[in-house]
Amino acid sequence: MKVMKLLIVLAFVLFTNSAVRAESAYYKGDGGKGKVVLLDDVVMVNAMKGDAWLSQSVKTDVLSDLSQYSAIKVLESEQQKNVLKLQKESESAMYDDTDMIELGRMVKAREYIKITITRIEQKGQSLYSLQATVVNIESGTSEGGFNPKKYYSKDEFLTKAHGELSAGVLEELGVELTETGKRLIAKASEVSSTAGTAVKAQNIAVVSAK
């Protein structure tokens, strides 16, 4: 009986250690555990009609990347703003939806991430770039960011940009990806984009129709 209990305990320990190793296979150290970061709405510069869906697509992809490849708690600012608004309304208090300081204090976040998509036209073709800035919520000053200064065709933008940006932002936030993490965050970008091509094409049609 004692031997059986011992075997059960040993199996549990081995399973737990295996799970921990699996969870941390993407990054070294604690992966930013305990840190809370807000992801702000994506801003699009010089957008064309039919490009509106790109902002939400990029935001969804980056949110997924940052959450999967780190231990950081990443919160979407729009959802938190709605929570704060309802809270203020219940208290009959004034609410300013641009007050990132109050929002940050509510969720105990020290930084928020601003993402910008910029479109330019070159030889009759639309090209897109993706930049991110990490902003200190209390001071409003930049703490760094990721700006590859590269422009992509729309197809390349969907397959490469968000993975590259997410890896750069994680580095700015102090998360060191393993070689496996670096490889997979880039590969996941291609896979998720390829898998979602049909859905995204439908989004273009819907937005264009409007």
Side-chain angles (χ1 to χ4, degrees), residues 35 85 201:
K35 180 176 285 189
K85 182 178 180 181

Side-chain angles (χ1 to χ4, degrees), residues 50-176:
D51 279 345
W53 67 278
L54 282 173
S55 297
Q56 186 57 50
S57 176
V58 166
K59 185 175 182 179
T60 300
D61 288 339
V62 172
L63 182 65
S64 175
D65 289 342
L66 298 181
S67 300
Q68 184 174 354
Y69 292 93
S70 77
I72 296 172
K73 186 175 183 179
V74 186
L75 301 174
E76 192 176 354
S77 64
E78 189 60 35
Q79 292 179 351
Q80 303 308 314
K81 287 176 184 177
N82 291 335
V83 171
L84 182 58
K85 182 178 180 181
L86 290 171
Q87 180 182 316
K88 290 297 182 182
E89 287 177 349
S90 69
E91 298 170 354
S92 300
M94 295 295 291
Y95 168 69
D96 179 3
D97 65 5
T98 64
D99 191 350
M100 291 297 288
I101 293 178
E102 187 168 8
L103 193 61
R105 286 173 178 167
M106 182 184 77
V107 298
K108 298 180 180 178
R110 199 177 73 86
E111 297 118 338
Y112 73 94
I113 302 166
K114 290 172 59 176
I115 297 177
T116 304
I117 300 172
T118 303
R119 185 194 73 87
I120 63 170
E121 197 163 314
Q122 196 173 84
K123 297 180 180 180
Q125 181 185 16
S126 289
L127 300 176
Y128 300 84
S129 71
L130 192 61
Q131 302 89 33
T133 305
V134 179
V135 182
N136 182 290
I137 290 177
E138 290 288 339
S139 66
T141 58
S142 170
E143 293 189 341
F146 182 75
N147 184 1
K149 297 181 180 178
K150 289 195 294 188
Y151 283 86
Y152 309 85
S153 66
K154 185 174 283 187
D155 287 342
E156 287 182 325
F157 180 77
L158 291 171
T159 56
K160 296 180 180 179
H162 74 79
E164 292 179 358
L165 177 127
S166 297
V169 168
L170 286 173
E171 184 177 350
E172 287 292 332
L173 293 172
V175 176
E176 185 179 0

